[in-house]
Amino acid sequence: HNSQEKVMFIKKFVSVVSLLLVVSSANAALVTLDFEADLTGNKGASYSSVDSDLLTFSGEELSIRDYGHQSIGNALGVFGADTGVSLDFSVYVDYLSLVFGNDDPGFPETTAVLTLFNDALQVGLVELVYNKNDIADETIIASGFGSFNRATFIYETGTTGLAEVIDNVTFNTVEADEEPVVGAPAPSSIALLSLALIGMGLRRKVN
């Protein structure tokens, strides 16, 4: 009789944990833009990749093409004045990363800067002093700042207007009504905590 109860409890335990993990990931989606399917050429001041309509890039003289060692295949270049590129999301995101190149050693710029906004409010800032090897081999990552719906990326500490080249832009979407708050436990953390509590109950039941 005790063995049957144990088996039934384990089945319920597994079902509950599976449900929690499904719920924790149901409202999130990881999206990557690699620009490989985009038509090459000049894109003006605003552009959305065919990879996703959730993100719009804004900047001066945007252009899609293969930049050789400065990109990984097709990439987005920003050739206007030293204003960088704006990334405007139609949804909330809580993670953003991008590969960048054209960190030319012959220019005074030294730092890649990724700034995050929730509407007009700045909610995060990531700075990366890059290696200046002119190759697309570095990634800047923004995570742990809560949710945001806009970001800017620029090469700073210079005045020459070095063109930004970005590739493999990856972001994680979250539902607006599930908008995370800085310091609040992630759904996956809640699932793991619930798993531990259920496990303690299982131990008491078995004993």
Side-chain angles (χ1 to χ4, degrees):
H1 183 68
N2 287 337
S3 296
Q4 289 180 341
E5 282 189 356
K6 180 179 178 181
V7 169
M8 290 301 296
F9 194 88
I10 291 174
K11 286 183 177 180
K12 290 180 180 179
F13 169 71
V14 172
S15 297
V16 170
V17 171
S18 298
L19 178 61
L20 285 169
L21 292 176
V22 168
V23 169
S24 70
S25 60
N27 293 325
L30 201 63
V31 181
T32 297
L33 285 61
D34 63 11
F35 306 104
E36 294 307 312
D38 291 76
L39 293 176
T40 58
N42 296 329
K43 303 300 179 182
S46 181
Y47 180 70
S48 291
S49 169
V50 298
D51 293 327
S52 174
D53 61 359
L54 300 178
L55 171 58
T56 300
F57 300 95
S58 301
E60 295 187 28
E61 299 179 35
L62 303 180
S63 181
I64 297 285
R65 66 182 177 89
D66 188 334
Y67 295 92
H69 59 270
Q70 298 172 343
S71 62
I72 307 170
N74 286 350
L76 177 68
V78 188
F79 293 94
D82 195 20
T83 54
V85 60
S86 176
L87 296 80
D88 294 282
F89 300 91
S90 61
V91 294
Y92 284 103
V93 302
D94 62 4
Y95 171 91
L96 174 63
S97 68
L98 56 89
V99 176
F100 62 90
N102 196 41
D103 47 334
D104 196 319
F107 286 76
E109 283 82 0
T110 61
T111 308
V113 181
L114 186 60
T115 309
L116 313 176
F117 299 89
N118 192 327
D119 294 328
L121 176 66
Q122 181 178 325
V123 295
L125 178 71
V126 180
E127 296 181 309
L128 176 63
V129 177
Y130 46 74
N131 56 29
K132 305 194 81 168
N133 66 358
D134 204 27
I135 298 174
D137 62 353
E138 292 186 90
T139 302
I140 191 167
I141 300 173
S143 180
F145 294 100
S147 63
F148 51 95
N149 55 11
R150 179 173 173 265
T152 59
F153 177 75
I154 192 171
Y155 297 155
E156 273 195 350
T157 321
T159 58
T160 59
L162 178 62
E164 291 83 8
V165 176
I166 62 175
D167 205 348
N168 289 4
V169 179
T170 300
F171 56 92
N172 186 66
T173 67
V174 292
E175 296 290 342
D177 58 356
E178 297 292 334
E179 181 183 342
V181 178
V182 176
S188 57
S189 300
I190 296 173
L192 291 174
L193 176 60
S194 301
L195 182 142
L197 293 173
I198 296 172
M200 292 173 62
L202 172 61
R203 184 175 179 181
R204 287 196 296 269
K205 186 76 174 180
V206 172
N207 291 338

